[in-house]
Amino acid sequence: MSELPADVVLMWGLKDTARRGPKPSLTVDDITQAAIELADAEGLAAVSMARVAERLGNSTMALYRHVKSKDDLLTLMSDAALEHPEPMPEGIDWRTGLTFWADNVLTVTRQHTWYSQLTLSGPPTGPKNLAWFDSALSVLADTGLSEEGKVGVVMGLLTYVHGQIRLSLDLAAGFADKPELFSRYGAVLKAVVDPQRLPALARVLAAGVFDTEITYEESDNEDFDFGLQLYLDGVAGFIERTCG
């Protein structure tokens, strides 16, 4: 399997493990699951090869026989932490399907608050990530889009979803730390916004958009759903221009 990237070989379990003797007491799956449990309990910053080894009751060097670096471990975690996608309901149209898919991505990644902190260093290649990719592509089968067009739609949607996940976690943390920055946002803007310099924003304030006290909870999907439907409106226009 030398022709494949090392992280792909690792995620798909393609490494030649044929050996004589008893079955190894430690596996890549064991290490990955322990790292996920550690990140869930203490955050991504707590994950190190030494801490994972301690959790497993093994030496750090024992881990390195299976996973060569922390970067490789994070790559494994980025795929293993995902559940397999929910089967698409039968008979739904592409828009309902992509909404269902995006909502499920949000639900799954919120189970691991550290997930949004992972660095995305390339396109999806792990088995679970590719299962999600395939699920979204399948919804577009009857749209008339080219295969390239389908990929573009799904990658754009993925960018939106992951961006919203990161933003929601950051804002939820900010609200928990300094709720007054949110609750007094409208009053603060009215004190500093000059209609001559910031006319569009002044019109927003005059319309009372920020008069209601702002609160923020990570589980509030209103902004996510609004942005998602705007994106899908754009996809609908793309399909109409391309295939109509």
Side-chain angles (χ1 to χ4, degrees):
M1 292 297 173
S2 59
E3 69 274 12
L4 291 174
D7 56 349
V8 174
V9 172
L10 199 59
M11 285 188 289
W12 284 87
L14 300 176
K15 185 177 180 180
D16 183 9
T17 57
R19 52 175 291 178
R20 295 182 178 181
K23 182 180 179 180
S25 59
L26 189 63
T27 67
V28 171
D29 287 345
D30 293 334
I31 297 168
T32 305
Q33 187 57 42
I36 290 171
E37 292 172 359
L38 180 59
D40 286 343
E42 301 183 33
L44 192 62
V47 176
S48 67
M49 298 295 276
R51 288 293 309 280
V52 174
E54 179 184 350
R55 193 176 187 90
L56 289 166
N58 280 269
S59 69
T60 304
M61 289 308 298
L63 266 65
Y64 280 114
R65 296 190 189 101
H66 302 272
V67 180
K68 294 186 179 299
S69 69
K70 180 180 175 180
D71 286 344
D72 283 351
L73 180 58
L74 293 176
T75 298
L76 287 165
M77 291 169 65
S78 72
D79 196 70
L82 298 175
E83 298 175 5
H84 285 286
E86 290 284 335
M88 285 288 172
E90 294 185 8
I92 59 174
D93 59 31
W94 68 265
R95 185 170 190 137
T96 304
L98 289 184
T99 299
F100 177 84
W101 183 88
D103 287 343
N104 276 287
V105 173
L106 190 66
T107 298
V108 168
T109 52
R110 276 180 173 170
Q111 294 173 8
H112 306 285
T113 56
W114 49 269
Y115 196 88
S116 66
Q117 301 170 27
L118 293 171
T119 300
L120 299 178
S121 57
T125 53
K128 289 184 179 177
N129 272 286
L130 288 183
W132 281 91
F133 195 14
D134 183 80
S135 177
L137 288 170
S138 68
V139 174
L140 299 167
D142 297 327
T143 59
L145 289 173
S146 67
E147 299 306 316
E148 183 178 6
K150 294 172 190 174
V151 169
V153 167
V154 174
M155 294 307 291
L157 179 56
L158 190 62
T159 299
Y160 168 74
V161 172
H162 277 285
Q164 284 295 106
I165 291 168
R166 290 178 185 236
L167 183 63
S168 67
L169 288 170
D170 288 346
L171 289 177
F175 180 72
D177 184 44
K178 295 181 178 180
E180 68 277 6
L181 295 181
F182 293 74
S183 62
R184 298 183 60 243
Y185 185 63
V188 169
L189 288 188
K190 287 180 179 179
V192 298
V193 170
D194 179 352
Q196 299 300 317
R197 297 178 59 191
L198 304 169
L201 188 52
R203 289 192 293 272
V204 169
L205 293 173
V209 173
F210 295 123
D211 284 355
T212 304
E213 182 175 309
I214 298 175
T215 60
Y216 195 87
E217 294 183 9
E218 181 196 338
S219 58
D220 185 356
N221 288 348
E222 185 176 348
D223 288 343
F224 176 83
D225 292 337
F226 179 72
L228 174 61
Q229 295 310 314
L230 288 180
Y231 178 78
L232 296 179
D233 285 345
V235 174
F238 175 61
I239 293 173
E240 178 64 26
R241 291 193 307 273
T242 306
C243 310

